[in-house]
Amino acid sequence: MSKLPVAKHLTNEEYKLLLETYARHNSAFGLEKRKDYTLSDIVKVERNTEENCLNVHYRNGDWWHYLPNRTWY
């Protein structure tokens, strides 16, 4: 599986979580807002074992918790 450079450290299962949650998250935005939240706008992905999620950071400074149930906050 070819991974985004910022997510190469993730396991395949974590990477699948990232992509599936990203797809759901992105589809919740309007078309204009989606422009700021493309896959290429992800600048850092951190494994958060304390909260059992991934911390996904975007170029615009926003970041989200991506949870195992494919939701975010």
Side-chain angles (χ1 to χ4, degrees):
M1 174 183 300
S2 179
K3 297 178 183 176
L4 295 169
V6 297
K8 286 189 182 279
H9 64 286
L10 300 178
T11 66
N12 287 344
E13 185 176 319
E14 289 169 331
Y15 193 68
K16 183 178 177 186
L17 165 67
L18 172 67
L19 294 181
E20 290 176 0
T21 307
Y22 166 80
R24 292 179 66 171
H25 188 203
N26 191 264
S27 69
F29 291 133
L31 292 177
E32 274 303 306
K33 196 165 185 179
R34 284 183 196 176
K35 293 176 183 177
D36 294 327
Y37 295 94
T38 65
L39 281 173
S40 61
D41 287 312
I42 296 174
V43 294
K44 181 168 57 169
V45 179
E46 299 172 308
R47 186 181 291 117
N48 183 337
T49 54
E50 190 174 300
E51 296 184 53
N52 191 32
C53 66
L54 298 174
N55 296 342
V56 180
H57 298 258
Y58 287 84
R59 184 169 282 119
N60 66 6
D62 289 348
W63 66 278
W64 305 84
H65 296 282
Y66 280 15
L67 304 168
N69 66 357
R70 303 332 190 232
T71 60
W72 58 92
Y73 69 93

